[in-house]
């Protein structure tokens, strides 16, 4: 647990991000950890204002849809596409969805950084 | 008429594999989309088979140009996780090597920038000066690029008093020689013509798009991770270099002036270098999670590390500055002339090696 950390749910993620955006916080990055025991992911959203950090933590079961925050913070689309490629986190409505081809070749079906998740490739999204 | 033009993955001005799909109308870019992954190495995944000490050597290889600062960030993060008290001498030596790395990175970029305009002689002059910083690293660490001086708990190399004097004289020469080239590069008609007002990132955009490093500071934000006081920065006088125009020219000026700031920090670090041990004893295994950031030549770098009490870390997440600067780049390109694209892309100092860690 970090200082200035707040737990969020799938429903409160976007409102919390919007609140931070309105308060002038910069999105520093998004990190993901696979929680092997719980068959879930920890998604950490890192924000900064005047060198003060704050974090949002979202714990989601594997394969459960996660709303994209790219509508609020545009740069999140790269982080989300990266995490979708590497871990198979099921992000929904990313502003520019590369369909798991940001890093991976179209024929790759297994998320390389994750133990059990398989990449879901949608037709027509191989080339964003 | 709209046309899609591929830029990269190999381009004469940027010999690193990034691909941009440029949507152009006549000669004007209207949209840009990135495509990454040509050389992705999956280094974070190596945490599963390499122990936390071996990971120092791996993170150094994320990028050659700022290898020392990667290992500094990683080591400080693990030290935070394990509650280690690193000796002061190690902190100051880390600053010294980090700033020499910054000098070599910025001079490398300034050389490429000059080369981008066809100024071959200037390019060679800047790289000739850069050799002095490489010599410092070779003399103090035995290697020119990946210097491997940082370890968990401190540093593995020391410098003698003679070396200290010699480093200070080299730093004076670097600053003097760079100052002599400032007008040649920054007051040149062609450079101004190709950079002023090109690839503008407004103050608001820089913040909203998550720009970092010189890209952020060139748009008027006085923010630098060194202000957080990691290593020995908290004991040194430091002010971020800021410009306000947000264009390619402002970003170049920030990097130019940051060479002087880095020289000053090396002098301060060596002047205040205390006597004492180089490293502390490391006991136990990392457990828990930690988040740590430092300032690379290209901007803010963060590591998220999670340990589970074994010798292998559970997760190492690295967010490099170029990755953060890609969304701002996508905002800089629309509206520019096609011929300006290479200079604008170069102006964020892209490091694809870092991005594809």
């Amino acid at each position: 647990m970090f200082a200035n950390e707040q737990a969020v749910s799938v429903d409160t993620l976007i409102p919390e991000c919007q609140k931070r955006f309105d308060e002038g916080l910069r999105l520093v990055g998004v990190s993901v950890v696979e929680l092997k025991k719980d068959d879930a992911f920890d998604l950490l959203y890192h924000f900064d204002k005047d060198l003060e950090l704050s974090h949002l933590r979202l714990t989601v079961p594997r394969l459960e849809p996660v709303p994209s925050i790219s509508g609020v913070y545009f740069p999140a689309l790269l982080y989300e596409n990266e995490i979708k490629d590497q871990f198979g986190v099921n992000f929904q409505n990313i502003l520019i969805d590369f369909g798991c081809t940001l890093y991976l070749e179209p024929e790759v079906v297994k998320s390389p950084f994750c133990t059990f998740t398989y990449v879901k490739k949608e037709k027509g999204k191989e080339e964003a | 008429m709209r046309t899609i033009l591929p830029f990269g993955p190999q381009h004469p001005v940027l010999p690193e594999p990034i691909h941009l799909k440029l949507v152009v109308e006549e000669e004007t870019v209207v949209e840009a989309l990135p495509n990454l992954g040509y050389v992705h190495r999956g280094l974070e995944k190596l945490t599963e088979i390499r122990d936390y000490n071996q990971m120092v050597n791996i993170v150094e290889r994320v990028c050659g140009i700022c290898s020392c600062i990667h290992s500094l960030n990683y080591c400080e993060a693990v030290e935070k996780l394990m509650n280690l008290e690193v000796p002061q001498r190690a902190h100051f030596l880390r600053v010294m090597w980090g700033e020499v790395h910054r000098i070599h990175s910025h001079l490398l970029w300034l050389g490429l920038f000059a080369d981008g305009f066809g100024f071959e002689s200037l390019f060679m002059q800047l790289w000739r000066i850069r050799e002095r910083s490489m010599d410092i690293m070779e003399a103090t660490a035995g290697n020119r690029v990946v210097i491997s001086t940082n370890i968990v708990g401190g540093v593995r190399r020391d410098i003698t008093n003679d070396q200290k004097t010699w480093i200070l004289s080299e730093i004076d020469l670097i600053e003097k020689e760079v100052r002599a080239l400032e007008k040649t590069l920054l007051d040149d008609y062609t450079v101004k013509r190709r950079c002023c007002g090109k690839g503008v990132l407004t103050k608001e955009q820089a913040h909203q798009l998550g720009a970092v490093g010189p890209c952020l500071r060139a748009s008027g934000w006085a923010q630098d991770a060194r202000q957080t006081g990691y290593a020995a920065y908290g004991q040194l006088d430091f002010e971020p270099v800021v410009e306000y125009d947000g264009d390619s020219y402002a970003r170049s000026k920030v990097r130019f002036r940051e060479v002087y700031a880095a020289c000053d920090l090396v002098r301060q670090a060596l002047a205040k270098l205390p006597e004492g041990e180089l490293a502390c004893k490391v006991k136990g295994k990392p457990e828990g999670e930690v988040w740590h950031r430092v300032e690379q030549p290209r901007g803010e770098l963060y590591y998220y590390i999670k340990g589970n009490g074994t010798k292998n870390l559970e997760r190492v997440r690295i967010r490099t500055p170029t990755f953060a600067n890609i969304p701002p780049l996508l905002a800089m390109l629309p509206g520019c002339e096609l011929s300006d694209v290479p200079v604008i892309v170069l102006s964020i100092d892209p490091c694809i090696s870092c991005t594809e860690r």
Side-chain angles (χ1 to χ4, degrees), chain B residues 13-14 109 112-114 116 255 341-350:
Chain B
V13 82
L14 181 73
W109 180 83
L112 291 175
F113 183 62
R255 290 197 187 92
V341 171
V343 174
I344 294 172
V345 173
L346 198 61
S347 79
I348 70 158
D349 192 3

Side-chain angles (χ1 to χ4, degrees), chain A residues 1-2 5 21 24-36 44 46 48 50-53 55 57 73-75 78-79 82 86-87 96 98 101-103 112-114 127-128, chain B residues 21 33-37 40 42 44-45 48 206-212 216 223-225 227-228 289-291 293 300 302 304 306 314-315 317 319 323-324 326-327 330 355-357:
Chain A
M1 179 107 179
F2 299 119
E5 183 188 308
F21 182 85
L25 272 75
R26 175 173 67 92
L27 178 73
V28 177
V30 185
S31 309
V32 63
V33 195
E34 186 189 4
L35 306 172
K36 288 177 190 164
L44 290 151
H46 315 289
D48 168 281
D50 301 330
L51 296 171
E52 284 256 341
L53 281 169
H55 311 266
R57 186 186 296 265
Y73 281 102
F74 177 78
L78 266 191
Y79 298 107
E82 182 188 30
Q86 293 181 338
F87 285 84
I96 304 170
F98 286 81
T101 58
L102 179 70
Y103 285 130
F113 277 56
C114 194
E127 290 288 314
Chain B
K21 262 184 203 166
L33 273 176
N35 199 350
L36 307 171
H40 198 275
E44 292 171 4
K45 183 78 174 166
E48 288 173 15
H207 195 256
Q208 287 179 358
L209 296 174
V212 294
L216 181 70
Q223 187 165 325
D224 190 310
Q227 291 168 294
T228 57
E289 56 182 352
V290 72
W291 195 96
R293 64 174 161 178
E300 177 195 70
Y302 86 71
Y304 165 80
K306 188 171 183 184
E314 204 169 311
R315 174 93 170 107
R317 155 74 170 145
R319 202 281 273 127
F323 195 84
I326 288 176
L330 303 182
T355 310
E356 311 233 355
R357 71 243 163 258

Side-chain angles (χ1 to χ4, degrees), chain B residues 271-306:
Chain B
K272 292 185 177 176
L273 185 65
E275 293 299 325
E277 295 292 313
L278 293 178
C280 62
K281 278 199 171 177
V282 181
K283 284 179 187 169
K285 304 278 190 302
E287 189 166 15
E289 56 182 352
V290 72
W291 195 96
H292 191 64
R293 64 174 161 178
V294 302
E295 189 75 14
Q296 263 191 358
R298 293 169 179 82
E300 177 195 70
L301 162 78
Y302 86 71
Y303 273 63
Y304 165 80
I305 290 175
K306 188 171 183 184

Side-chain angles (χ1 to χ4, degrees), chain B residues 144-310:
Chain B
R144 283 161 54 86
V145 180
V146 181
I147 59 172
S148 298
T149 49
N150 292 316
I151 51 171
V152 174
V155 292
R156 75 168 92 232
R157 293 267 190 170
D158 201 358
I159 57 167
T160 61
N161 281 335
D162 286 347
Q163 280 179 323
K164 192 170 141 181
T165 314
W166 172 74
I167 292 168
L168 287 170
S169 68
E170 287 295 297
I171 290 293
D172 287 345
L173 282 172
I174 289 173
E175 184 170 347
K176 188 181 158 200
E177 292 178 358
V178 172
R179 278 192 194 280
L181 294 179
E182 185 174 335
K183 275 193 169 181
T184 315
L185 186 65
L186 295 180
D187 280 358
D188 183 80
Y189 171 80
T190 313
V191 173
K192 283 188 172 174
R193 179 91 186 183
R194 296 286 306 276
C195 291
C196 289
K198 308 284 186 182
V200 176
L201 190 70
T202 63
K203 189 172 182 182
E204 195 182 24
Q205 279 178 320
H207 195 256
Q208 287 179 358
L209 296 174
V212 294
C215 280
L216 181 70
R217 292 190 285 280
S219 294
W221 292 94
Q223 187 165 325
D224 190 310
R226 284 174 285 179
Q227 291 168 294
T228 57
Y230 67 90
Y233 286 103
Q235 300 170 62
L236 306 173
D237 285 332
F238 170 72
E239 285 292 326
V241 175
V242 187
E243 290 286 334
Y244 297 91
D245 293 339
D247 55 8
S248 303
Y249 188 68
R251 289 187 280 277
S252 321
K253 275 211 287 192
V254 167
R255 290 197 187 92
F256 219 106
R257 287 172 52 206
E258 281 191 358
V259 174
Y260 307 144
C263 289
D264 185 45
L265 282 166
V266 174
R267 286 190 201 103
Q268 285 190 55
L270 291 180
K272 292 185 177 176
L273 185 65
E275 293 299 325
E277 295 292 313
L278 293 178
C280 62
K281 278 199 171 177
V282 181
K283 284 179 187 169
K285 304 278 190 302
E287 189 166 15
E289 56 182 352
V290 72
W291 195 96
H292 191 64
R293 64 174 161 178
V294 302
E295 189 75 14
Q296 263 191 358
R298 293 169 179 82
E300 177 195 70
L301 162 78
Y302 86 71
Y303 273 63
Y304 165 80
I305 290 175
K306 188 171 183 184
N308 52 11
T310 67

Side-chain angles (χ1 to χ4, degrees), chain A residues 7 11 34 39 53-54 61 67 76 105 119 127:
Chain A
D11 296 331
E34 186 189 4
D39 201 27
L53 281 169
S54 58
E105 292 300 313
V119 172
E127 290 288 314

